[in-house]
Amino acid sequence: MSMQFGPFVLTTLLGSVLATSGMQGQTEGKAAAQRQEQAAQPQNQEETEEEKEKKKKKQQQEKQQQEKQQQENQRQKQLQEQQERELQQKRQQEQRQLKQKRVSQQEQQERIRKQEAELAQYRNNLELKHRQDIAERDARILEQQKRIAQLRAQREYQERMRSQEAELRRARYDYNNDPYYYTAPNYRYRRDGRYYQTNQYGIKKLERALQAGYNEGFRAGRADREDRWRYDYRSAFAYQDANFGYDGRYVRQDEYNHYFREGFQRGYEDGYYGRQNYGRRNDNDSGGINDEWLIAGAVIAAIIGYELLTD
């Protein structure tokens, strides 16, 4: 009987030993995997902390840059406000010194005659088909270049020009009661190395040209930045046209165009780079041609280079 059960017992014992070894192997394998996982965990955790630290530093740098930019904008604003106050004081002093000398009636009528001829020529220039063809050509180019923002800016400029042209056609004007035509020159200003004379009404028209140009330039520069286009103010239709805000009075059309483009270039630069070196946003929106961005008075004075004439 013992001989019959002997192999069975040996087989059972061998199975038990093998099973025990297998379980021990599995246990040791799990333990090794756990040890590897525990060894790797500090490294992963360390990498995560390092990434968090990098992210934190980046956020701090961005915050510092924003604060620096805000401080620079505030400094520019304060500087412009100081320049504006000084310019205002200068103008007040000049106004006290102004003597409203009148020109002769003959000179007054001669001014009016020249003005009427120049206004008629200006109206003809506005109606030239060639000018409209240029606008449509530029619009097609912008469409091909996929410059959506700049195309929108050009369309808006054309719409403002159409409204201005309609007003000019309806206008009726009393030249005899306009003080510009009977006030003698009391200012001189510098352009291209030469001096020209006018009165305070002529100076204000040149200022208007710079203001209109700056505002239109800012819009064009901002549009090119939105389109991710290169810096190129000369290609803008508004810069080439340079007539918005001109009513044909006080200064010649080519002179208005010159100062409009001077303002446009500076406005484009501010709009393109998103800064306020030459002007600022109009906080007191009162409508009109400059309802968004205003060129600084000190910049106007520097560009025109005018001075009061004294006896």
Side-chain angles (χ1 to χ4, degrees), residues 16-67:
S16 299
V17 170
L18 291 174
T20 303
S21 300
M23 291 177 63
Q24 289 177 350
Q26 291 178 358
T27 303
E28 290 176 357
K30 290 182 180 179
Q34 290 177 353
R35 286 195 297 271
Q36 291 178 355
E37 184 178 354
Q38 290 174 354
Q41 186 173 2
Q43 184 177 359
N44 294 337
Q45 185 175 2
E46 182 179 349
E47 290 176 355
T48 303
E49 292 296 330
E50 183 178 354
E51 290 176 357
K52 288 182 179 180
E53 185 65 24
K54 288 182 178 179
K55 185 177 181 180
K56 184 178 179 181
K57 288 182 178 180
K58 184 178 180 182
Q59 291 175 345
Q60 290 176 346
Q61 290 175 351
E62 291 177 350
K63 184 178 180 181
Q64 290 174 354
Q65 290 176 353
Q66 291 176 355
E67 291 176 350

